[in-house]
Every structure is written in structure tokens, then in C-alpha cells.
């Protein structure tokens, strides 16, 4: 199971939109694609262009996910020449058919949208509009801090790198202590690769580095912070196979200048608005009340008692007409009338 499921959901929906529009000679251009709370929200522009519809295969890919570790490979659906006039199926399989780190098999997912899922020019304009909005302006923005944080996190993502790793999944595979986000970013940047965070998962990292480089950084971290004997796996575990290989990359943990630049102040990952925040239980249909049961009949409670009063063995309650307790009035004889209770005289 890939830990990038939130972004995968966005890309699958975009592929569905592109496929639906292609039947009518239309294609889409994503503007903003976000995973918010427990739903996805996507904004796209739709254009009519038969020539662009032919290039839809170049925007889609499959993912080969290792069943034993977080390693994955992206397999494009098709390829084209330099002029983009002819299209052919892409060559595969990627990764040699087996995971290079653990020797395990792959699971295939997709097709999904592998092109950029945001228009960063539009996002920059939206951030400028939010920043220029002052209190009292119309229309008001009730969630301005949250909106500004979301757009800021989106603007910091790598545009051309689909899917991501998560730090807990990398560390739990080898049972090592988790490193900080700045540590792995520094190691990737010093190795000449790009990396960024995501707008949905605080512990996720996007990078264009291959799987081998990511695992070399994990191995170097384990050498720096050894694993205790109690946490080591057996010889057949995936973590043991990964750590058995020697790192080929010389990892530099010093912070580059790019990480020392102050970040934009924004609430990128706000806390939940209330305790136990999440989807509630689905609404259930109430049983309809049968005719004639509303007035007199009462449903029994636990323990064999009725709501009306008394147990089932009681004879009568109220009036001397001999009717059972809780019996409906409309079933009594018409000639029977209840005398109003007489008032007792006051004794002075």
C-alpha cells in the first residue's frame, strides 16, 4: 500500500476528467488540485482541441509499487518523438521487474495523471489576492489564514514530480529513529537533487532522486544512529536486505543555503477544529410508526415494563370503567363518561 494515497486520488480523478472530455474532443488543464480534510477539490479549465486530445496518453502513467518497501517507479503510458507528431507505447518494465532493494515484486496502480496538477501562475495570483484582502472588505474571507496556508504549501511543491515518500514509512521499514525533514532535505540537496514538501501530508517529501539515493541516505542515517539489537529484524525481513547493502553515495548532512532562507509565515497544516474530528456515522432511516400505535399503545422497555405505567400484571389505572391500563380512549363505549374529579373542601 502506497503512502501517497492522497495525491494518487487527485491524479486518478484528473485522469477520469481527461478521459471523459476526450470523447467530445475536449481536454483539461488543472488549475488547483487539493486534498482537504476528507475530500478532494479540483479546479480545471476545459478546452476544445482535437489535436491536444491525441496527446492525452503522454499525460498518464502507471505506478509500480514494491510490496515490501516504500520504493516505487513511474511507468509512462506512451512516448513521442521530438516534434510530438507520432505516439508509441512506452517501453518497460521499469525497475527490472523486481525491487532493487528487497527483491520483491511490484503492484501496479493507475493510470493516473502524471503532468502537473497545479497552475503555479494562478496560485501566485491567488496568494496575492488573499494577502491584499483586508478586514472589512467585501466579500469577507472567513478562513483567510487557512486559505493562505494551503495556497502557500501548494506553491512550494515540485511541479513535475508525481507522488512522494513519507518519513515514517522509510524509517519503520528499517526500524530506525526518524530523522527530521531538514536532515533529509539537506542530504538530497547536497547530492544535487530537488525536494519539497506537500500540501496534504506534513511528513511527506517529494523528490526527483531515484530510490537508490533515498535508501543510501537512510543507510547513512543508520550508520550515524545505530539500531538497537531489540529492534533488528530477522534475516528475511525487508529492512535487513536494505541495510545489508553498502551505500554508494557519500551523504553530506550540512544545511545548504537554500534551507537557511526564512520561510513564509503561513498555517500550512492547521489543527482540527474540534476533538474527534472526522466523518460521522451515516444517517440511518427511522422505522415508520404504524397507524393506531401513536396514541395508546406503548412499546415495552427492557425488563418487561411498559411506558404507560405499571407492569403487565396490574389491573387498572385511573377511572372505574374496568379497562386495562393504557387502553386507548376511542375503544371505550360511547355511553361511558368520566366524571371530573371532585374538589376537596378546604379545612380551616
Amino acid at each position: 500500500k502506497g503512502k501517497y494515497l492522497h495525491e494518487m486520488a487527485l491524479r486518478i480523478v484528473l485522469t477520469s476528467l481527461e478521459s471523459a472530455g476526450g470523447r467530445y474532443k475536449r481536454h483539461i488543464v488543472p488549475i488547483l488540485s487539493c486534498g482537504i480534510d476528507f475530500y478532494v477539490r479540483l479546479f480545471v479549465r476545459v478546452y476544445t482541441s482535437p489535436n491536444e486530445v491525441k496527446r492525452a496518453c503522454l499525460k498518464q502513467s502507471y505506478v509500480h509499487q514494491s510490496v515490501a518497501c516504500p520504493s516505487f517507479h513511474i511507468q509512462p503510458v506512451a512516448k513521442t518523438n521530438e516534434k510530438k507528431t507520432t505516439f508509441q507505447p512506452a517501453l518497460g518494465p521499469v525497475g527490472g521487474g523486481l525491487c532493487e532493494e528487497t527483491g520483491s515484486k511490484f503492484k501496479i496502480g493507475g493510470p493516473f495523471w502524471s503532468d502537473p496538477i497545479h497552475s503555479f501562475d494562478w496560485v501566485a495570483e491567488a496568494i496575492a489576492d488573499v494577502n491584499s484582502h483586508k478586514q472589512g472588505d467585501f466579500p469577507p474571507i472567513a478562513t483567510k489564514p487557512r486559505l493562505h496556508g494551503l495556497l502557500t504549501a501548494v506553491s512550494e511543491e515540485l511541479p513535475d514530480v508525481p507522488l512522494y515518500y513519507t518519513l515514517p514509512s522509510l524509517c519503520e521499514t528499517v526500524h530506525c529513529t526518524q530523522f527530521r525533514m531538514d536532515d533529509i532535505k539537506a542530504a538530497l540537496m547536497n547530492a544535487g537533487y530537488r525536494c519539497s514538501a506537500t500540501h496534504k501530508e506534513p511528513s511527506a517529501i517529494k523528490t526527483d532522486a531515484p530510490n537508490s539515493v533515498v535508501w543510501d541516505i537512510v543507510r547513512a542515517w543508520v550508520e550515524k544512529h545505530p539500531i538497537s539489537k531489540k529492534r533488528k529484524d530477522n534475516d528475511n525481513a525487508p529492512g535487513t536486505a536494505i541495510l545489508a547493502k553498502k551505500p554508494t553515495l557519500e551523504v553530506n548532512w550540512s544545511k545548504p543555503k537554500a534551507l537557511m532562507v526564512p520561510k513564509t509565515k503561513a498555517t500550512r497544516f492547521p489543527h482540527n477544529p474540534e476533538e474527534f474530528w472526522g466523518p460521522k456515522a451515516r444517517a440511518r432511516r427511522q422505522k415508520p410508526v404504524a397507524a393506531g400505535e401513536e396514541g395508546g399503545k406503548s412499546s415495552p422497555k427492557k425488563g418487561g415494563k411498559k411506558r404507560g405505567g405499571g407492569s403487565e400484571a396490574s389491573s387498572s389505572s385511573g377511572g372505574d370503567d374496568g379497562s386495562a391500563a393504557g387502553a386507548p380512549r376511542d375503544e371505550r363505549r360511547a355511553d361511558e363518561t368520566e366524571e371530573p374529579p371532585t374538589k376537596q373542601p378546604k379545612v380551616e
Side-chain angles (χ1 to χ4, degrees), residues 21-135:
R23 302 186 186 100
Y24 306 97
K25 301 179 182 181
R26 292 180 173 89
H27 70 98
I28 66 169
V29 175
I31 302 301
L32 182 65
S33 306
C34 301
I36 306 173
D37 291 337
F38 313 100
Y39 58 90
V40 297
R41 179 160 291 183
L42 303 97
F43 301 88
V44 300
R45 289 194 178 107
V46 183
Y47 297 94
T48 301
S49 176
N51 291 332
E52 191 65 29
V53 171
K54 297 178 182 177
R55 300 184 176 91
C57 58
L58 302 176
K59 307 173 186 177
Q60 301 177 16
S61 299
Y62 290 91
V63 59
H64 293 244
Q65 173 63 52
S66 173
V67 299
C69 69
S71 300
F72 63 88
H73 295 276
I74 304 298
Q75 171 68 65
V77 172
K79 63 178 183 178
T80 183
N81 55 4
E82 296 180 357
K83 297 182 180 180
K84 295 185 179 181
T85 55
T86 60
F87 308 97
Q88 298 177 355
L91 302 177
V94 293
L98 294 176
C99 179
E100 298 175 354
E101 304 298 331
T102 60
S104 60
K105 296 182 179 180
F106 290 108
K107 287 185 177 180
I108 303 176
F112 66 91
W113 184 272
S114 54
D115 258 22
I117 60 176
H118 312 294
S119 174
F120 289 89
D121 294 336
W122 185 92
V123 173
E125 294 179 3
I127 293 176
D129 291 342
V130 173
N131 290 332
S132 62
H133 191 279
K134 298 180 181 180
Q135 188 175 4

